[in-house]
Structure formats: structure tokens, C-alpha cells
Amino acid sequence: MTCLKTNYSKIVISLVGILFLFNCKNEKKNPVTETEVLVVEETVPEPEKVINVITKSMEFICADTIPSGWNTFKYQNQSNETHFFLLDKYPEGKTEENAITEIAPVFGEGMDLINEGKPEEGFAAFGKLPAWYGDIVFSGGTGLIAPKHTAITTVKLDPGYYIMECYVKMPNGKFHTLMGMAKGIIITDEDSGNSPPEPTVEITLSGEEGISFPTPIKKGKQIFSVFVKDQKPHENYIWHDINLVRLDQGASIEALESWMDWSDPKGLITPVPEGCTFLGGVNDMPAGSKGYFYVDLKPGKYAFISEVPKSKQKGLLKEFVVFDN
């Protein structure tokens, strides 16, 4: 996740993980269209083989070495913060030393400017990144997951060296990666032998066409497949992903949309907007990729949303209702 634009698209996400090594996404609301659905309870099998990932505070506790191929991650967020994890595949031959000497100083300069309210100057500073930075590949991971909740996501991984990271912000604006939420992982040549699950709902994710799914969504246990039809950098220099959020009564769609843009000074910062509970999803992946995530849906209002600016205008924010009948 290679032209200059693509380089910029990867800057914020992977780069905050690097600093961990260096230091140790009031208008009138639109009504939700309530389409009646026929609810049929279905048996959805739980994944048999999972890679456990646990966050108790500001860390990732999981295996250091993982086989390649299809892998299902069970991410238990036992902390009091909303988190996610993204897997960034580093180019061959690049190490922590390269990150410290070639990436961290550029990132520090750019982020200082952005935090000072100078986003244009900050993004211009990122132009100093080395050419190899564009070879970093975003390879999926979980969507945002609320405190005391668990996200289950299946992705396909190529062999190589990865950094697992979360770049949600602390109340003071500091990224979680700087608090310890970045972990190096080796994906081996040995294939896991796993197969992808059978989805109950198929989603297509497109920067040009938005988020689409052909059938109503029922209550109960679901396995969502997410096909990334195309991929591109957005105004905040990152790719589109998909996150599922439950909307309680009084939740503001406008506040949610604004919060999902990291380049907003109040974006991706604790606390999440009132009435919004994140339930996972699939993080950034290249065009043509497919990922899966598991959710047990209760009746209520929900939304799929990408971590990009103007998500509703782009069709990358879709509200829906799960009925209890």
C-alpha cells in the first residue's frame, strides 16, 4: 500500500509505527432508510485456527513469527481505549536502522508542522522521504474496535517483515504508536494451509463507487467479505478501508465522519464520538485484495465507514438498520 502520490498515501499510517522503533480517517442529518429484512437465523462457524492479539494498555501481545497465507487474527482489546491494528510490509533489506536514520527525522518534522496547524507545510516535508518508502505495502488488519470488545479479521499475508501498529491518538494528540503500539512481526515462507471463510455478506469497497453490498444485513453472527475493487490516496494521503460502527440514539453522523479524518486536529483522538461503538472491519489493503471480518449483530442502527475525508459524499459512509424480526 509506485508513484509519488502513493508514497504520500502511506505516510501517516506506517510512519507513526516507525517512531516507536525510534523511541524503543452541524448540518441537518439525513434520515436512515429503514428497509425491512427477512431475518433467518443462520449458523456461522467460529474460526478454528486464530492468531491471538491482546492489548491490555498500549501494546500488542502476540506471536513474533507467523506463517504466510491466510491467517485469522483474534484481537482482544482489553484496554480502555479504541484501537485497531494495521500490518505494514517493509521492503526487503530495510531494517530498524533505516527507519531511524531515514524516516523518523522526516516524520518528526512533518508532524510537528501539522500539529502547529500547518498541514500544507507538513505534507511538503514528507516529500523528503526516501524513495524506498513507497515500497511499503499496507496489508490489512482489523478495523477500529471498542474497549472491552474483540475483533476477528482474516487476511492473506506474503512472507516478509511487517510492523503491526495502531495510530489512534491519545487525548493529548500523541499517537498510540508512540506509547508502544508498534510491533515487528516476521511472516515466514511456510504457508499456514488455511482457507478463507465462507462469507454471509459480500461487500465491495471502491474509492470511485463507494461501499456496496447487494443484500439486506440480518441480525446474528455474520462473516463479511470485503473486496477492494480499487485503491487510491485520498486528501489525507491514505487509502480507504472499512470500519463497522454501531450508532446509539443521538449519535451524530457528522461528528463520526469528521472524527475519522486523522488530518483534522480532533480526528482519531480519544474519546470517540458519543454514541459510537466500533466493532471491527478490515484495514487498508491493495487493490484486488480480499479480507474478512466476523461480527455478531444485534438489532439497531449501524454504519460502514472508511477513514477518509468527505466519506459520505464519496459513498464511503453507508448507514443501515438491523431489525429484530
Side-chain angles (χ1 to χ4, degrees):
M1 189 202 204
T2 66
C3 65
L4 182 58
K5 277 190 174 182
T6 304
N7 289 345
Y8 286 158
S9 74
K10 301 168 187 164
I11 288 165
V12 173
I13 298 179
S14 183
L15 206 45
V16 290
I18 291 166
L19 272 194
F20 168 72
L21 300 174
F22 184 65
N23 287 283
C24 247
K25 315 202 182 53
N26 249 345
E27 296 177 355
K28 185 177 180 180
K29 297 180 183 178
N30 295 324
V32 176
T33 301
E34 299 192 358
T35 304
E36 291 189 7
V37 300
L38 176 63
V39 176
V40 179
E41 294 292 345
E42 296 181 356
T43 301
V44 174
E46 295 290 333
E48 295 182 358
K49 296 170 61 178
V50 300
I51 296 168
N52 289 298
V53 182
I54 299 173
T55 290
K56 295 183 178 181
S57 179
M58 288 284 165
E59 74 287 283
F60 291 120
I61 303 170
C62 70
D64 298 324
T65 303
I66 295 171
S68 54
W70 289 104
N71 284 287
T72 297
F73 293 86
K74 184 177 181 180
Y75 179 33
Q76 301 174 61
N77 180 9
Q78 299 177 4
S79 76
N80 296 318
E81 304 273 349
T82 294
H83 296 297
F84 63 79
F85 74 74
L86 174 66
L87 291 164
D88 309 327
K89 184 177 184 294
Y90 269 48
E92 185 176 357
K94 298 304 176 183
T95 66
E96 294 181 23
E97 182 178 355
N98 298 105
I100 292 170
T101 59
E102 300 178 53
I103 301 297
V106 178
F107 176 75
E109 178 184 353
M111 287 307 301
D112 284 346
L113 290 166
I114 290 172
N115 290 334
E116 292 171 8
K118 303 174 182 178
E120 292 185 4
E121 291 91 333
F123 288 131
F126 292 142
K128 301 176 184 178
L129 288 166
W132 64 263
Y133 188 77
D135 295 327
I136 295 174
V137 179
F138 295 159
S139 302
T142 70
L144 289 153
I145 185 70
K148 315 306 179 185
H149 285 64
T150 297
I152 300 178
T153 300
T154 302
V155 294
K156 190 174 185 180
L157 299 173
D158 294 328
Y161 175 79
Y162 291 70
I163 288 181
M164 174 184 284
E165 62 167 328
C166 171
Y167 58 91
V168 175
K169 303 173 190 173
M170 299 286 289
N172 63 2
K174 180 175 289 189
F175 288 103
H176 288 178
T177 40
L178 301 180
M179 307 301 295
M181 296 199 74
K183 176 180 174 63
I185 295 177
I186 295 174
I187 307 299
T188 67
D189 292 330
E190 180 183 0
D191 192 274
S192 67
N194 299 328
S195 299
E198 186 67 30
T200 59
V201 180
E202 296 182 337
I203 300 172
T204 298
L205 178 62
S206 168
E208 301 298 326
E209 302 168 10
I211 297 169
S212 60
F213 42 96
T215 59
I217 297 176
K218 306 168 186 177
K219 73 174 183 179
K221 293 182 178 180
Q222 306 293 342
I223 300 175
F224 294 98
S225 68
V226 180
F227 172 65
V228 183
K229 185 175 182 179
D230 55 58
Q231 194 56 273
K232 67 177 183 180
H234 292 262
E235 297 93 326
N236 60 352
Y237 295 93
I238 63 170
W239 294 356
H240 38 273
D241 58 359
I242 191 165
N243 301 270
L244 176 63
V245 55
R246 181 183 173 103
L247 304 171
D248 295 339
Q249 186 175 3
S252 168
I253 288 296
E254 290 78 12
L256 171 64
E257 183 180 28
S258 177
W259 188 86
M260 291 295 289
D261 179 10
W262 75 267
S263 62
D264 186 312
K266 296 182 179 180
L268 284 187
I269 195 167
T270 299
V272 302
E274 185 176 355
C276 296
T277 302
F278 287 97
L279 300 175
V282 178
N283 224 311
D284 297 11
M285 298 185 296
S289 300
K290 183 174 282 191
Y292 303 79
F293 67 103
Y294 296 64
V295 180
D296 189 356
L297 294 175
K298 310 300 181 184
K301 294 183 178 180
Y302 296 83
F304 291 122
I305 185 169
S306 290
E307 190 197 329
V308 300
K310 301 177 182 177
S311 55
K312 195 166 191 175
Q313 177 181 319
K314 298 172 181 177
L316 291 169
L317 166 57
K318 291 291 182 72
E319 302 170 64
F320 64 95
V321 177
V322 173
F323 293 95
D324 190 18
N325 57 17

Coordinates of all heavy atoms in Angstrom, one line a residue, residues 1 9-10 13 25 85-88 137-143 155 167 205 228 231-232 237-243 282-287 289 306-308:
M1 N 0.9 -1.1 0.0 CA 0.0 0.0 0.0 C 0.9 1.1 0.0 O 1.7 1.1 0.7 CB -0.7 0.1 1.1 CG -1.6 0.6 1.7 SD -2.1 0.8 3.0 CE -2.9 1.0 3.4
S9 N 0.4 8.5 0.3 CA -0.7 7.9 0.8 C -0.4 7.0 2.0 O -1.2 6.7 2.9 CB -1.5 7.0 -0.2 OG -0.7 5.9 -0.5
K10 N 0.9 6.6 2.1 CA 1.3 5.7 3.1 C 1.9 6.4 4.3 O 2.3 5.8 5.3 CB 2.2 4.6 2.6 CG 1.7 3.8 1.4 CD 2.7 3.1 0.7 CE 2.2 2.4 -0.5 NZ 3.2 2.0 -1.4
I13 N 0.2 6.5 8.2 CA -0.1 5.2 8.9 C 1.1 4.5 9.3 O 1.4 4.2 10.5 CB -1.0 4.3 8.0 CG1 -2.3 5.0 7.7 CG2 -1.2 3.0 8.6 CD1 -3.2 4.2 6.8
K25 N -9.0 7.8 10.2 CA -9.7 8.6 8.7 C -10.9 9.6 9.6 O -11.4 6.8 11.1 CB -10.1 7.4 7.3 CG -9.6 6.1 6.4 CD -9.5 4.9 5.0 CE -9.0 4.1 4.9 NZ -9.8 4.4 5.8
F85 N -5.4 -2.6 14.5 CA -4.1 -2.8 14.1 C -4.0 -2.9 12.5 O -4.9 -3.4 11.9 CB -3.4 -4.0 14.8 CG -3.8 -5.4 14.3 CD1 -3.4 -5.9 13.1 CD2 -4.6 -6.2 15.1 CE1 -3.7 -7.1 12.7 CE2 -5.0 -7.4 14.7 CZ -4.5 -7.9 13.5
L86 N -2.9 -2.4 12.0 CA -2.6 -2.4 10.6 C -1.3 -3.1 10.4 O -0.3 -2.8 11.2 CB -2.5 -0.9 10.1 CG -2.1 -0.8 8.6 CD1 -3.1 -1.4 7.6 CD2 -1.8 0.7 8.3
L87 N -1.1 -3.9 9.4 CA 0.1 -4.6 9.1 C 0.8 -4.0 7.9 O 0.3 -4.0 6.8 CB -0.2 -6.1 8.9 CG -0.6 -6.9 10.1 CD1 -1.2 -8.2 9.7 CD2 0.5 -7.1 11.0
D88 N 2.0 -3.4 8.1 CA 2.8 -2.7 7.1 C 3.9 -3.6 6.7 O 4.8 -3.9 7.5 CB 3.3 -1.4 7.6 CG 2.2 -0.5 8.2 OD1 1.1 -0.6 7.8 OD2 2.6 0.2 9.2
V137 N 4.0 -1.8 1.9 CA 2.7 -2.3 1.4 C 1.8 -2.4 2.6 O 2.1 -3.2 3.5 CB 2.8 -3.6 0.7 CG1 1.4 -4.1 0.3 CG2 3.7 -3.5 -0.5
F138 N 0.7 -1.7 2.6 CA -0.4 -1.9 3.6 C -1.0 -3.2 3.3 O -1.5 -3.5 2.2 CB -1.4 -0.8 3.6 CG -0.9 0.6 3.9 CD1 -1.5 1.7 3.5 CD2 0.3 0.7 4.7 CE1 -1.1 2.9 3.9 CE2 0.8 1.9 5.0 CZ 0.1 3.1 4.6
S139 N -1.1 -4.1 4.3 CA -1.5 -5.5 4.1 C -2.7 -5.9 4.9 O -2.9 -7.1 5.1 CB -0.3 -6.4 4.3 OG 0.7 -6.1 3.4
G140 N -3.5 -5.0 5.4 CA -4.7 -5.3 6.1 C -4.5 -5.4 7.6 O -3.4 -5.1 8.1
G141 N -5.5 -5.8 8.3 CA -5.6 -5.8 9.7 C -7.0 -5.5 10.2 O -7.9 -5.5 9.3
T142 N -7.2 -5.3 11.5 CA -8.6 -5.1 11.9 C -9.0 -3.6 11.7 O -8.2 -2.8 11.6 CB -8.7 -5.4 13.4 OG1 -8.0 -4.4 14.2 CG2 -8.2 -6.8 13.8
G143 N -10.3 -3.4 11.7 CA -10.8 -2.1 11.8 C -10.8 -1.6 13.2 O -10.3 -2.4 14.1
V155 N -7.0 -12.2 6.8 CA -6.3 -11.6 5.7 C -5.2 -12.6 5.1 O -4.8 -13.5 5.8 CB -5.6 -10.2 6.1 CG1 -6.6 -9.2 6.4 CG2 -4.6 -10.4 7.2
Y167 N -2.5 3.8 15.2 CA -2.1 5.2 15.2 C -3.3 6.1 15.7 O -3.4 7.3 15.4 CB -1.6 5.7 13.9 CG -2.5 5.5 12.7 CD1 -3.4 6.5 12.3 CD2 -2.4 4.3 12.0 CE1 -4.2 6.3 11.3 CE2 -3.3 4.1 10.9 CZ -4.2 5.1 10.6 OH -5.0 4.9 9.5
L205 N -15.6 -2.6 -1.8 CA -15.0 -1.3 -1.4 C -14.3 -0.6 -2.5 O -13.3 -1.2 -3.1 CB -14.0 -1.6 -0.2 CG -13.3 -0.4 0.4 CD1 -14.3 0.6 1.0 CD2 -12.3 -0.9 1.5
V228 N -11.6 -5.3 -2.3 CA -11.0 -3.9 -2.6 C -11.0 -3.8 -4.1 O -10.0 -4.3 -4.7 CB -9.7 -3.7 -1.9 CG1 -9.2 -2.3 -2.2 CG2 -9.8 -3.9 -0.4
Q231 N -8.0 1.1 -5.4 CA -7.3 1.8 -4.3 C -6.6 3.0 -4.7 O -6.1 3.1 -5.8 CB -6.3 0.8 -3.6 CG -5.8 1.2 -2.2 CD -6.9 1.5 -1.2 OE1 -7.5 2.6 -1.2 NE2 -7.3 0.4 -0.5
K232 N -6.6 4.0 -3.9 CA -6.0 5.3 -4.2 C -5.8 6.2 -3.0 O -6.5 6.0 -2.0 CB -6.9 6.1 -5.2 CG -8.2 6.6 -4.6 CD -9.0 7.4 -5.6 CE -10.3 7.9 -5.0 NZ -11.0 8.8 -6.0
Y237 N -4.0 11.6 2.3 CA -2.9 10.8 1.9 C -3.0 9.4 2.4 O -1.9 8.7 2.4 CB -1.6 11.5 2.4 CG -1.3 12.8 1.8 CD1 -1.7 14.0 2.4 CD2 -0.6 12.9 0.5 CE1 -1.5 15.2 1.8 CE2 -0.4 14.1 0.0 CZ -0.8 15.3 0.6 OH -0.6 16.5 0.0
I238 N -4.1 8.9 2.6 CA -4.2 7.4 3.0 C -5.3 6.8 2.1 O -6.1 7.4 1.4 CB -4.6 7.2 4.5 CG1 -5.9 7.8 4.8 CG2 -3.5 7.8 5.4 CD1 -6.4 7.4 6.2
W239 N -5.3 5.4 2.2 CA -6.2 4.6 1.4 C -7.5 4.4 2.1 O -7.6 4.6 3.3 CB -5.6 3.3 1.1 CG -4.3 3.3 0.2 CD1 -3.8 4.4 -0.4 CD2 -3.5 2.2 -0.1 NE1 -2.7 4.0 -1.1 CE2 -2.5 2.6 -0.9 CE3 -3.6 0.8 0.3 CZ2 -1.5 1.8 -1.4 CZ3 -2.6 0.0 -0.2 CH2 -1.6 0.4 -1.1
H240 N -8.5 3.9 1.4 CA -9.8 3.6 2.0 C -9.8 2.2 2.6 O -9.2 1.3 2.0 CB -11.0 3.7 1.0 CG -10.7 3.3 -0.4 ND1 -10.2 4.1 -1.3 CD2 -10.9 2.1 -1.0 CE1 -10.1 3.4 -2.5 NE2 -10.5 2.2 -2.3
D241 N -10.4 2.1 3.8 CA -10.5 0.8 4.5 C -12.0 0.7 4.8 O -12.9 1.4 4.3 CB -9.7 0.8 5.8 CG -10.0 2.0 6.7 OD1 -10.9 2.8 6.4 OD2 -9.4 2.1 7.8
I242 N -12.4 -0.2 5.7 CA -13.8 -0.3 6.1 C -13.9 -0.6 7.6 O -13.2 -1.5 8.1 CB -14.6 -1.3 5.3 CG1 -16.1 -1.2 5.6 CG2 -14.1 -2.7 5.6 CD1 -16.9 -2.0 4.6
N243 N -14.7 0.2 8.3 CA -14.9 0.0 9.7 C -16.4 -0.1 10.0 O -17.2 0.7 9.4 CB -14.4 1.2 10.5 CG -12.9 1.4 10.3 OD1 -12.1 0.9 11.0 ND2 -12.5 2.2 9.3
V282 N -11.9 -4.3 8.2 CA -10.7 -4.7 7.6 C -9.9 -3.4 7.2 O -10.5 -2.5 6.6 CB -11.0 -5.5 6.3 CG1 -9.7 -5.8 5.6 CG2 -11.8 -6.7 6.6
N283 N -8.6 -3.4 7.6 CA -7.8 -2.2 7.4 C -7.3 -2.2 5.9 O -7.6 -3.0 5.1 CB -6.7 -2.2 8.4 CG -6.4 -0.8 9.0 OD1 -6.4 0.2 8.3 ND2 -6.3 -0.8 10.3
D284 N -6.5 -1.1 5.6 CA -6.1 -0.8 4.3 C -5.4 -2.1 3.6 O -4.6 -2.7 4.2 CB -5.0 0.3 4.3 CG -5.6 1.6 4.8 OD1 -6.7 1.6 5.3 OD2 -4.9 2.6 4.6
M285 N -5.8 -2.3 2.4 CA -5.2 -3.4 1.6 C -5.1 -2.9 0.1 O -5.8 -2.0 -0.3 CB -6.1 -4.6 1.6 CG -6.3 -5.3 2.9 SD -7.3 -6.8 2.8 CE -8.8 -6.2 2.2
P286 N -4.2 -3.5 -0.7 CA -4.0 -3.1 -2.1 C -5.3 -3.5 -2.9 O -6.1 -4.3 -2.5 CB -2.8 -3.9 -2.5 CG -2.1 -4.2 -1.3 CD -3.1 -4.4 -0.2
A287 N -5.4 -2.8 -4.0 CA -6.5 -3.2 -5.0 C -6.4 -4.6 -5.3 O -5.3 -5.2 -5.6 CB -6.4 -2.3 -6.2
S289 N -7.3 -7.1 -3.4 CA -7.3 -7.9 -2.2 C -8.7 -8.2 -1.7 O -9.6 -7.5 -1.9 CB -6.5 -7.2 -1.1 OG -5.1 -6.9 -1.5
S306 N -15.2 4.5 5.9 CA -13.8 4.5 5.6 C -13.1 5.7 6.3 O -13.7 6.7 6.6 CB -13.6 4.6 4.1 OG -14.0 3.4 3.5
E307 N -11.8 5.5 6.6 CA -11.1 6.6 7.3 C -10.5 7.6 6.3 O -9.3 7.7 6.1 CB -9.9 5.9 8.0 CG -9.2 6.8 8.9 CD -7.8 6.2 9.3 OE1 -7.7 5.0 9.4 OE2 -6.9 7.0 9.5
V308 N -11.5 8.3 5.6 CA -11.1 9.3 4.6 C -12.0 10.5 4.8 O -13.0 10.5 5.4 CB -11.3 8.7 3.2 CG1 -10.5 7.5 3.0 CG2 -12.8 8.4 2.9

